[in-house]
Structures are given as C-alpha cells and as structure tokens.
C-alpha cells in the first residue's frame, strides 16, 4: 500500500493540466466518486488491520488535498480573463442601498414588556415548549375533566392510557412557574415569556400559536393590592401615564380570587371615542397550587398574571388582524 501511495503521489504531481478538458479528466481520474483512484484506495482501508488504518488514512487525505489543490490552481489559471471594455463594470454607477431590516413588532413588544418588569425587580425565566400533564395542567389545579384538556384546545403529542401520561405543546407559560416553585423556596419574583400553542381556528383575532408573558410573586403577606399596583405601574410604563384600567371578576383554576384586566383604548372612529379591551388575566395563587409544589399556603401567599404579547402589540400599533404577524410580508414588517 505504501508503494502504491508513493506512485500515486508522483502521478498527481506530474500529470499535466493544460486545458479545461484535461482538468476534468484529472478530476475523474483521481477524485471521481465511482472510478477515482483515491476513492478506490479509501474503500480499501477497511481491508487493512485496524492498527494501520490511521496512518494510511492520513496519507490518503494528504493526497486528496494535493489533488484538489492542483485542480483548483489549474482551473484558476485556465479561467478566461475579461477582454474588451464591454466586460469591465461601470464603476461610476451608484451602489445599491443595503437592506438593514428591523426587529419584528412582536419582538419589540416582548422586549418592552420584559424591560418594564425587570425594572420592577422580576427575574426572567424560560422553560420547555413540550410539557407533561403535571406541569401544564395537574399542578395548576386543573381537574381531569377540565375543558382545556380537550383536543379542541390542546395539541397532544402523546395522550397515553390516562390524562396523567399526556405530553402536550404547552398551552401557557404557567408550567415555568411550577418548575421554578418546585426547585426554589420563596421569595420568588419571576416572569416567564415564551411561545404557547392552542388548537384554535385561525382568524383575525386568534391563531394556533401566540406569545405570552406570565408573572409570579410569592412571599409572606402578598396581597391583591400588591398585584393591582404592579399591573398599574406596568400599564403606565407601556401605554402612558393617563392609562385607564379596570379589573373584572373572573375564574382561573390556578388563582383565587381571579380577575380580567381591561384598558381603555382610544379609537378616533369609535362612537364613544374608544373602547375597553382585555389585556391580561390575574389573581392570587390558589392554595392547591402551593401544595402541589411543596410551598406552605399557611405561611406564603402570592399572585400570578398572564398576558398575550400579540394582543398588546395590536393595541400599541393599531393592528386589527393577528395573522399579519405571521405572514412574513415585508410591506407590513418594514413599517416597524
């Protein structure tokens, strides 16, 4: 084999390449995938004793690089050079302006939300988008027959023999809160931004995926008043000092009491000058959630909230169709 390699090196070095046809013949002779001499020798390596393969394999790789280098040098040498003024570019023509692009409006909105809560002392935590039933439903006080477990609302990757074995695309970022409380003791102050999935019909107001930012604060003596003040500061930072908010009683399995939060959104063409629009849900963490993660509900209280980034982006930019965020139309995106 060593003698064959030396002879092959001589052939690669001395074979003339003085035309395009000769270059192609050189490539086929030494580097061809079917009948190339180097290809043939690489295939023969498996016939050698294991202890000899590394040395001979290295020599073959060196020969392959030598052949590729000779071929590249020959092709550069044989490449025709432009002749005549018609083939010389006109250097006086103005250059094309580079397209720099910008952040997606959802990214801009998400970063603005995160920035506000970081200034309020919340840490940012992320988690997996594929979740088990415990973290997505059971630990959050969803009973087995809750409608959110139905196929109409959830993308199931694996249903299993019972609901406890289900694997789903997360329907909210609340599982991140569960994971944090499982490994940390209070005080806890976090937000969990990320993408979530719902098995919903696509329309101007709903999509099969969207982005959420959820928040959690757990400590001693946390009250609903703390929650309302935090959300009021958030709304002022994002929508302006004159923002108007209202809290409507609602229901969520994982908070009690619970509320929906609306803000007044001015609309010039609206007969009343604007309208109330829901931006988030919130409430005090249910004791069953604390028990599921090993936190004493007699000692600690906490609040949680969640908001859709798309809804807030639509409010900020006056967008009336959620589908526009996902169509990748440059005419839409370049406005931001």
């Amino acid at each position: 084999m060593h003698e064959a390699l030396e002879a092959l090196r001589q052939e690669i070095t001395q074979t003339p390449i003085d035309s395009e046809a000769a270059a192609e013949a050189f490539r086929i002779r030494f580097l061809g995938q079917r009948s190339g001499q180097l290809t043939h020798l690489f295939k023969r390596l498996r016939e050698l004793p294991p202890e000899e393969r590394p040395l001979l394999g290295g020599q073959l790789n060196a020969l392959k690089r030598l052949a590729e280098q000779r071929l590249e040098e020959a092709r550069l040498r044989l490449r025709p050079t432009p002749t005549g003024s018609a083939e010389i570019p006109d250097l006086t023509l103005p250059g094309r302006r580079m397209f720099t692009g910008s952040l997606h409006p959802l990214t801009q909105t998400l970063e603005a939300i995160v920035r506000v809560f970081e200034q309020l002392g919340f840490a940012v935590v992320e988690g997996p988008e594929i979740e088990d039933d415990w973290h997505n439903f059971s630990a959050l006080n969803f009973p087995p027959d809750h409608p959110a477990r139905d196929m109409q609302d959830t993308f199931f990757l694996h249903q299993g023999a019972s609901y406890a074995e289900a694997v789903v695309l997360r329907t909210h970022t609340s599982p991140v809160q569960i994971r944090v409380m499982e490994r940390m003791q209070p005080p806890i102050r976090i937000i969990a931004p990320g993408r979530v999935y719902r098995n919903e019909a696509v329309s101007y107001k709903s999509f099969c995926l969207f982005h959420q930012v959820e928040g959690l604060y757990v400590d001693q003596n946390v009250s609903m008043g703390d929650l309302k003040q935090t959300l009021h500061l958030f709304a002022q930072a994002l929508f302006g000092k004159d923002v108007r908010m209202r809290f409507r009683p609602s229901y969520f399995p994982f908070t009690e009491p619970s509320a929906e939060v609306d803000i007044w959104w001015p609309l010039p063409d609206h007969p009343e000058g604007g309208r109330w629009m829901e931006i988030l849900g919130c409430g005090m963490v249910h004791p069953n959630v604390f028990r599921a993660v090993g936190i004493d509900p007699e000692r600690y209280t906490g609040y949680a909230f969640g908001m859709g980034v798309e809804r807030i982006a639509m409010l900020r930019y006056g967008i009336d169709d959620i589908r526009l965020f996902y169509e990748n139309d440059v005419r839409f995106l370049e406005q931001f």
Side-chain angles (χ1 to χ4, degrees):
M1 176 69 80
H2 292 286
E3 292 79 5
L5 293 180
E6 179 58 26
L8 184 57
R9 188 185 69 80
Q10 294 293 334
E11 288 185 54
I12 293 173
T13 304
Q14 297 174 9
T15 299
I17 309 176
D18 50 13
S19 66
E20 288 289 347
E24 180 62 12
F26 180 92
R27 185 193 67 79
I28 294 173
R29 178 181 176 185
F30 297 109
L31 300 170
Q33 292 297 314
R34 293 185 178 180
S35 58
Q37 295 185 35
L38 285 169
T39 304
H40 176 69
L41 289 175
F42 271 113
K43 292 178 179 178
R44 287 188 56 193
L45 277 178
R46 70 189 69 173
E47 302 172 3
L48 299 176
E51 63 273 11
E52 295 184 17
R53 293 175 190 171
L55 176 61
L56 293 173
Q59 293 176 344
L60 277 175
N61 283 324
L63 287 177
K64 182 179 180 182
R65 289 192 296 270
L66 175 62
E68 290 173 341
Q69 181 180 353
R70 281 216 64 204
L71 186 60
E72 181 64 22
E73 291 174 351
R75 284 177 168 168
L76 288 174
R77 186 178 68 254
L78 296 169
R79 184 177 299 167
T81 55
T83 58
S85 58
E87 298 184 18
I88 299 176
D90 185 353
L91 301 180
T92 64
L93 290 174
R96 296 179 180 177
R97 188 170 66 89
M98 294 185 63
F99 178 75
T100 56
S102 62
L103 291 177
H104 193 281
L106 290 180
T107 303
Q108 295 183 39
T109 303
L110 179 60
E111 289 185 353
I113 294 170
V114 169
R115 188 160 52 247
V116 171
F117 283 110
E118 283 182 328
Q119 292 170 350
L120 293 174
F122 287 77
V124 180
V125 183
E126 296 181 344
E129 295 182 11
I130 297 176
E131 274 293 1
D132 54 43
D133 177 90
W134 169 256
H135 291 94
N136 198 79
F137 292 127
S138 297
L140 289 161
N141 200 38
F142 282 85
D145 57 351
H146 194 279
R149 295 177 182 269
D150 294 343
M151 287 294 293
Q152 287 75 20
D153 298 318
T154 306
F155 287 108
F156 282 83
L157 302 181
H158 174 70
Q159 285 193 280
S162 67
Y163 72 87
E165 300 177 6
V167 177
V168 303
L169 291 177
R170 66 181 182 186
T171 57
H172 43 193
T173 58
S174 301
V176 179
Q177 301 178 21
I178 297 298
R179 291 180 179 276
V180 169
M181 289 190 288
E182 284 177 333
R183 68 174 187 266
M184 291 178 59
Q185 284 295 306
I188 298 170
R189 191 195 296 257
I190 63 159
I191 57 171
R195 186 163 44 203
V196 300
Y197 305 84
R198 302 277 177 87
N199 190 9
E200 298 180 354
V202 174
S203 69
Y204 74 96
K205 63 179 180 179
S206 64
F207 207 72
C208 56
L209 68 89
F210 56 97
H211 296 76
Q212 274 191 339
V213 175
E214 296 199 11
L216 174 71
Y217 178 39
V218 182
D219 204 346
Q220 296 181 7
N221 303 316
V222 177
S223 69
M224 193 75 176
D226 298 321
L227 170 61
K228 294 181 72 173
Q229 181 62 21
T230 298
L231 295 180
H232 187 68
L233 291 173
F234 160 74
Q236 284 186 325
L238 207 62
F239 297 107
K241 294 294 183 181
D242 298 328
V243 66
R244 296 164 60 187
M245 299 181 64
R246 70 181 181 190
F247 287 72
R248 295 181 289 106
S250 186
Y251 167 77
F252 302 108
F254 37 84
T255 55
E256 185 181 24
S258 305
E260 302 277 3
V261 180
D262 303 331
I263 67 166
W264 174 260
W265 189 249
L267 297 168
D269 299 330
H270 197 277
E272 300 178 3
R275 64 188 176 96
W276 290 98
M277 298 187 70
E278 176 191 330
I279 63 167
L280 59 87
C282 62
M284 301 300 293
V285 179
H286 199 288
N288 288 346
V289 175
F290 283 151
R291 294 187 185 101
V293 295
I295 292 178
D296 184 359
E298 301 297 326
R299 181 180 180 187
Y300 295 104
T301 55
Y303 62 70
F305 57 84
M307 65 192 74
V309 177
E310 280 80 351
R311 176 65 62 85
I312 293 178
M314 293 170 76
L315 290 174
R316 293 183 79 201
Y317 299 118
I319 298 169
D320 57 6
D321 193 328
I322 193 174
R323 294 170 293 190
L324 292 171
F325 291 125
Y326 297 99
E327 291 177 348
N328 295 322
D329 190 330
V330 176
R331 294 170 299 178
F332 168 75
L333 296 175
E334 67 184 1
Q335 300 177 57
F336 307 96

